[in-house]
């Protein structure tokens, strides 16, 4: 007669339940009960306790239990390795694995190998991933398909897609996870045709598979095709019983700045019953903010039942980018009062808001409070924001002291922020000095070369202008052509400077002339300083007249429903003259005009801009 199996202890089930719920209080109470009853050292309680503490956020307590254990077997190692791998310091799992093999001589099993490979994937180390792969092949678990699927995922995430395919082809009985990992690998690495070919070969194309393909396209920058795939998925009547795919495609509409699409997706979210999803709520807040509808973003945020640090930070950054510095600061105060700890991105948004509103002292205080009050060490990006804040407000000497003393090597963005402000402040001597430092970095951003060329030209240093153009030719750097995009839902159009669609040319030019006449009556004088070509003044004025954002706004005025907001996306920074013109047009027409340029959002209404002419 076979021996009777021992039934699972009810306390073990309670520990698993508290781990799933991340209930720290329950973990401590159960631990105390196990200590009193003397069960804390009996299997399965050591590993169950460790796992419960780790999943509840008590990683230090989990580590203490591990170190105090007199018998550290593969089960105990597996629990701690998994916890470390999913923590914010996944590399610690690699050190623990080394100790497991060298100190305690515990041989890894299939679960440990899978955890090890996932850790290499999380830290993005192809070299360590290959070492883990080699150890796996030499082990007795070398046919474990779970580990092989993890290897496919690791190679894909480390951009070694061909290696991922080699492992994929060695799996005789590929499970759904393995198929999906390979499809996702191709999609996220820009191998579109191979991803689609493999996807249509899958034995099962469920929501999980569709989500992997769609999110992979989004990761590789192909937002348009990601949306097309989502539409196709809906046509295939795939049931959406998980909100992740919705948050992914909402993210795609953010990237495309497609407000009407975002609104339709919002409607679908509500229709499918996902209104209370915090992840989807965060995605919708981000989408509306990036699509220039900050009011709808705030409405969604206020309607969130639960808010995490991402919810608050997304809204803070949105308010900052739309020039609503006071609202961003007010939100931050509410966030702290709600007991939510701000993160690095929160402070980036706050200092950005101060920079674009001229709140110098407030920005300094926020920068100092990062480390003093919240234990966050400022990154290079935070220092760049501080430089931008100081230099924009005319504190050029202080900004130069910061860039020379900060604990990071200044990069292209840091020098560029300082140079741009020097040029705006009219400090020619300092501009040339900053330009020389920036030129020495051999920058990669085309806009940086334009800034350098304009700086040297304004200073009359034509030999340096020639050097910049020579360097651009050597590095094959091409100036990005300016364009403006307007989407009216059923109609959309892309405009380049000086180019007007033939079908609308007469109407657009006539409207711009009518607006110009009215602006002249109100004292408008063209500001041609942004036109760097050596041409006559009237030629410069004509070039400004045909800037892409003006053409797009004229199209919007002609085609949109009267009274609606006109929203334009521009890939470059709006010039000073167009900024003045759009203020006047908003006053003349009584329409709100929102322009998202390369730096921020500008809300033009009744002759004023949300940036307060400080951008």
């Amino acid at each position: 007669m076979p021996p009777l199996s021992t039934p699972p202890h009810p306390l073990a089930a309670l520990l698993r339940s508290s781990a799933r719920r991340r209930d720290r209080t329950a973990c401590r109470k159960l631990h105390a009960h196990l200590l009193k009853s003397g069960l804390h050292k009996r299997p399965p309680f050591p590993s169950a306790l460790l796992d419960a503490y780790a999943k509840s956020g008590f990683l230090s307590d989990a580590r203490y239990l591990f170190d105090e254990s007199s018998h550290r077997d593969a089960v105990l190692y597996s629990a701690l390795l998994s916890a470390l791998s999913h923590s914010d310091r996944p590399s610690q799992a690699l050190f623990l694995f080394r100790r497991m093999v060298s100190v305690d001589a515990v041989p890894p099993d299939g679960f440990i190998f899978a955890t090890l490979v996932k850790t290499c994937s999380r830290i993005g180390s192809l070299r360590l991933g290959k070492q883990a792969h080699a150890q796996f092949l030499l082990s007795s678990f070398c046919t474990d398909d779970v580990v092989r699927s993890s290897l496919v995922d690791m190679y894909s995430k480390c951009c070694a897609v061909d290696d991922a395919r080699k492992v994929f082809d060695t799996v005789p009985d590929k499970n759904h996870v393995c198929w999906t990992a390979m499809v996702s690998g191709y999609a996220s690495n820009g191998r579109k045709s191979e991803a689609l070919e493999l996807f249509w070969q899958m034995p099962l194309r469920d929501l999980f598979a569709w989500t992997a393909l769609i999110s992979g396209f989004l990761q590789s920058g192909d937002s348009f095709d990601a949306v097309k795939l989502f539409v196709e998925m809906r046509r295939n009547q795939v049931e959406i019983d998980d909100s992740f795919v919705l948050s992914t495609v909402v993210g795609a509409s953010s990237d495309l700045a497609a407000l009407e699409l975002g609104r339709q997706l919002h409607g679908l979210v509500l229709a499918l019953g996902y209104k209370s999803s915090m992840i989807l709520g965060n995605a919708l807040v981000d989408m509306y903010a990036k699509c220039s509808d900050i009011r709808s973003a705030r409405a969604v945020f206020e309607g969130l039942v639960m808010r995490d640090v991402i919810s608050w930070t997304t809204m803070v950054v949105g308010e900052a980018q739309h020039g609503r510095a006071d609202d961003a600061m007010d939100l931050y105060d509410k966030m702290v009062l709600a007991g939510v700890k701000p993160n690095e991105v929160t402070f980036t948004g706050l200092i950005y808001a101060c920079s674009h509103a001229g709140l110098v002292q407030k920005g300094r205080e926020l920068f100092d409070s990062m480390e003093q009050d919240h234990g966050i060490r400022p990154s290079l990006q935070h220092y760049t924001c501080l430089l931008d804040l100081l230099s924009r407000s005319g504190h050029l000497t202080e900004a130069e002291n910061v860039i020379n003393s900060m604990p990071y090597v200044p990069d292209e963005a840091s020098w560029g922020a300082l140079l741009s402000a020097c040029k705006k402040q009219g400090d020619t001597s300092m501009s040339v000095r900053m330009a020389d430092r920036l030129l020495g970095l051999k920058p990669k951003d085309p806009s940086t070369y334009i800034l350098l060329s304009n700086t040297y030209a304004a200073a009359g240093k034509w030999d340096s202008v020639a050097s910049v153009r020579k360097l651009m030719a050597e590095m094959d750097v091409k100036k990005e052509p300016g364009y403006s995009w307007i989407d009216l839902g059923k109609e959309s159009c892309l405009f380049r400077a000086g180019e007007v669609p033939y079908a609308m040319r007469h109407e657009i030019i006539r409207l711009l002339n009518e607006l110009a006449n009215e602006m002249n009556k109100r004292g408008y004088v063209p500001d041609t300083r942004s036109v760097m070509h050596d041409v006559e003044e009237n030629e410069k004025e004509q070039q400004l007249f045909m800037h892409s954002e003006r053409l797009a706004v004229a199209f919007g005025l002609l085609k949109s429903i009267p009274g609606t907001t006109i929203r334009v996306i521009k890939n470059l920074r709006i010039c000073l003259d167009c900024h003045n013109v759009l203020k006047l047009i908003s006053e003349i027409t009584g329409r709100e005009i929102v322009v998202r340029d390369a730096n921020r959002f500008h809300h033009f209404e009744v002759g004023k801009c949300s940036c307060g002419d400080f951008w």
Side-chain angles (χ1 to χ4, degrees), residues 89-308:
R89 295 182 296 168
S91 59
Q92 293 295 313
L94 301 177
F95 294 112
L96 185 67
F97 177 79
R98 193 174 296 125
R99 172 181 170 179
M100 181 189 83
V101 176
S102 60
V103 177
D104 289 331
V106 175
D109 57 17
F111 183 82
I112 289 175
F113 271 122
T115 302
L116 181 63
V117 170
K118 288 173 185 175
T119 303
C120 296
S121 175
R122 284 204 66 197
I123 65 176
S125 176
L126 180 60
R127 180 179 62 85
L128 293 175
K130 286 184 173 182
Q131 290 179 18
H133 189 182
Q135 289 192 41
F136 166 68
L137 292 175
L138 293 172
S139 74
S140 58
F141 299 94
C142 59
T143 58
D144 189 310
D145 287 344
V146 174
V147 181
R148 284 171 169 171
S149 295
S150 298
L151 284 165
V152 170
D153 184 63
M154 182 274 294
Y155 279 121
S156 297
K157 287 179 177 173
C158 291
C159 303
V161 193
D162 292 327
D163 289 328
R165 184 59 191 256
K166 287 174 185 175
V167 176
F168 177 80
D169 289 338
T170 65
V171 183
D173 298 313
K174 300 174 181 66
N175 61 21
H176 192 52
V177 174
C178 192
W179 276 98
T180 307
M182 192 66 247
V183 167
S184 176
Y186 275 135
S188 59
N189 283 280
R191 306 267 283 264
K192 177 180 170 181
S193 59
E194 289 152 301
L196 290 170
E197 181 183 356
L198 195 65
F199 177 76
W200 293 115
Q201 292 174 14
M202 289 183 74
L204 174 65
R205 291 184 292 279
D206 60 0
L207 179 65
F208 183 57
W210 278 99
T211 303
L213 183 65
I214 292 168
S215 61
F217 273 43
L218 185 62
Q219 287 172 44
S220 67
D222 195 349
S223 302
F224 184 76
D225 280 329
V227 172
K228 282 176 64 178
L229 280 168
F230 178 77
V231 172
E232 189 166 354
M233 184 191 87
R234 294 286 291 162
R235 286 185 185 138
N236 278 266
Q237 299 182 332
V238 177
E239 183 182 358
I240 300 178
D241 54 11
D242 182 86
S243 63
F244 183 73
V245 70
L246 290 170
S247 64
T248 299
V249 78
V250 168
S253 65
S254 299
D255 292 343
L256 295 168
L259 180 59
E260 290 306 317
L261 171 64
R263 285 172 174 161
Q264 290 176 32
L265 289 168
H266 190 178
L268 180 61
V269 167
L270 297 176
L272 292 173
Y274 287 111
K275 181 182 178 181
S276 61
S277 168
M278 184 175 66
I279 293 173
L280 260 175
N282 293 345
L284 286 167
V285 170
D286 185 58
M287 180 274 295
Y288 278 119
K290 287 180 177 174
C291 291
S292 78
D293 191 350
I294 193 65
R295 295 183 185 92
S296 293
R298 189 62 184 259
V300 173
F301 173 80
E302 296 295 346
L304 290 176
V305 178
M306 293 180 63
R307 298 173 189 152
D308 61 1

Side-chain angles (χ1 to χ4, degrees), residues 469-516:
R469 290 174 179 169
K470 182 182 178 185
L471 190 57
M472 287 179 72
E474 288 174 358
M475 299 184 68
D476 196 28
V477 176
K478 294 180 175 61
K479 179 184 175 182
E480 185 180 11
Y483 65 81
S484 294
W485 167 264
I486 183 167
D487 184 5
L488 302 175
K490 293 182 179 179
E491 267 191 287
S492 59
C493 195
L494 186 142
F495 292 88
R496 299 191 186 278
E499 298 178 9
V500 188
Y502 181 77
M504 291 286 295
R505 182 175 180 82
H506 178 69
E507 292 174 87
I508 289 174
I509 297 300
R510 184 181 63 191
L511 177 58
L512 286 176
N513 279 318
E514 290 173 0
L515 290 168

Side-chain angles (χ1 to χ4, degrees), residues 308-328:
D308 61 1
V309 64
I310 297 173
S311 315
W312 287 97
T313 298
T314 302
M315 196 65 245
V316 165
V317 171
E319 297 283 19
Q321 290 179 331
H322 283 265
R324 296 156 58 125
D326 290 341
D327 291 317

Side-chain angles (χ1 to χ4, degrees), residues 509 512-513 516 540-547 550-551:
I509 297 300
L512 286 176
N513 279 318
K540 290 182 179 181
E541 292 179 13
Q542 186 59 31
Q543 287 186 27
L544 290 171
F545 184 84
M546 297 291 281
H547 271 191
R550 301 192 200 193
L551 301 175

Side-chain angles (χ1 to χ4, degrees), residues 22-28 49-65 80 83:
R22 299 179 182 274
D23 190 336
R24 299 181 177 189
T25 305
C27 284
R28 289 205 180 280
L49 258 175
L50 191 154
D51 185 61
Y53 272 124
K55 288 180 178 176
S56 300
F58 282 109
L59 198 55
S60 58
D61 290 326
R63 190 64 191 252
Y64 176 78
L65 283 174
L80 187 56

